[in-house]
Amino acid sequence: MTGNETDTETDSVGIVSLVGSGPGDPELLTVKARRLIDEADVVLHDKLPGPAIIETIPEGKREDVGKRAGGDRTSQEYTNERLVELAREGNHVVRLKGGDPFVFGRGGEEAAYLAEHGVDFRVVPGVTSALAGPALAGIPTTHREHASSVSFVTGHEDPTKEESAVDWNALAATHGTIVVLMGVGKLPGYTAALRETGMSGEVPVALIERASRPDERIVTGTLETITGVADREGIEPPAVTVIGDVAGERDRVREFLQR
């Protein structure tokens, strides 16, 4: 070592990509999402991207941060810390999320945590099931004859909240389409809440389970009947609920709708 050399150690800091995988069909991944997944050193994913996408990732570079055996879940705190840890080791990390990372996907929380800890990140939007689910079922979320607005609502709020932040009266007053994500379990509650606002029980409703996947199922009914239909058909998460006159458009096109 010469006299003017110094022995310094510099951290090699990587980058985190918050990537939306779309509703589950691998062909609905964006080109950029596919490239970044293939180039990543580590992919942290949950179950929502679906097996058809997850299985394209080599097992040695993917980590499941979703549900665990026995019903346990990986905490958001752990996922946040793991993203920072891996990036600080110099990795290109993909945080793979279902749909779009900023639509009820906690992407905003993860972005804020990365920024607070000095980690560079980028966001890759995905096709949200709030739009893809209805579209694939032949249901336009807006329609000149039926709805000039559409509202996206979560059916699964933070359980630590003392009361719901969803104003069903305000949503009903828009006379537009209401799309509820992660709302199967709370279906009886919010359909009743909308009825209590004065919304007609005859308003069409559609449920799209596992949109875009081989085992996709679609059931329809009305605000009054849909809970019974869902129970009878055994509809399970993940599913999208579409409430509004646009849901009735499916019957007009379903005979010719090719999948």
Side-chain angles (χ1 to χ4, degrees):
M1 178 183 294
T2 62
N4 60 359
E5 288 179 331
T6 58
D7 186 9
T8 61
E9 182 178 333
T10 58
D11 292 332
S12 175
V13 179
I15 186 171
V16 175
S17 299
L18 304 175
V19 177
S21 66
D25 181 347
E27 292 188 331
L28 291 178
L29 276 171
T30 65
V31 173
K32 188 170 187 177
R34 182 72 268 172
R35 176 176 63 80
L36 292 178
I37 291 168
D38 292 340
E39 293 176 355
D41 298 305
V42 186
V43 178
L44 270 60
H45 67 88
D46 49 36
K47 303 297 185 188
L48 288 177
I53 292 175
I54 294 170
E55 288 169 4
T56 66
I57 306 167
E59 189 171 351
K61 75 172 188 178
R62 68 184 194 231
E63 294 185 18
D64 186 348
V65 292
K67 292 181 180 179
R68 302 293 188 185
D72 294 332
R73 297 173 181 265
T74 304
S75 70
Q76 186 62 52
E77 291 75 14
Y78 171 85
T79 301
N80 291 347
E81 292 168 3
R82 185 65 174 147
L83 290 171
V84 171
E85 176 186 30
L86 289 168
R88 285 180 172 170
E89 292 173 355
N91 293 294
H92 169 204
V93 187
V94 163
R95 173 66 172 106
L96 188 63
K97 312 172 83 65
D100 182 276
F102 278 10
V103 180
F104 303 129
R106 300 190 183 181
E109 297 174 40
E110 292 169 356
Y113 191 89
L114 293 167
E116 289 168 5
H117 290 78
V119 175
D120 290 338
F121 70 93
R122 56 193 160 204
V123 180
V124 182
V127 180
T128 174
S129 60
L131 296 174
L136 293 168
I139 299 170
T141 50
T142 61
H143 192 291
R144 287 194 301 171
E145 296 177 9
H146 302 304
S148 298
S149 67
V150 56
S151 302
F152 299 147
V153 186
T154 177
H156 186 71
E157 294 185 87
D158 186 339
T160 63
K161 288 182 178 178
E162 294 184 0
E163 60 183 35
S164 173
V166 178
D167 188 338
W168 295 105
N169 283 282
L171 290 171
T174 68
H175 301 291
T177 305
I178 301 172
V179 179
V180 185
L181 284 80
M182 303 175 289
V184 175
K186 299 294 181 65
L187 182 65
Y190 61 78
T191 53
L194 287 169
R195 291 289 307 280
E196 290 172 5
T197 71
M199 185 177 286
S200 170
E202 298 303 309
V203 169
V205 180
L207 279 168
I208 304 106
E209 177 187 325
R210 301 183 184 277
S212 84
R213 304 182 189 186
D215 55 350
E216 175 187 274
R217 291 196 298 160
I218 303 165
V219 298
T220 58
T222 66
L223 201 59
E224 184 175 7
T225 66
I226 194 63
T227 296
V229 172
D231 289 343
R232 184 175 66 249
E233 299 298 328
I235 297 297
E236 298 180 350
V240 175
T241 310
V242 186
I243 302 168
D245 289 340
V246 293
E249 288 295 300
R250 172 172 165 77
D251 289 337
R252 297 177 60 180
V253 303
R254 62 184 300 176
E255 182 180 352
F256 300 96
L257 181 63
Q258 297 295 307
R259 290 298 307 278

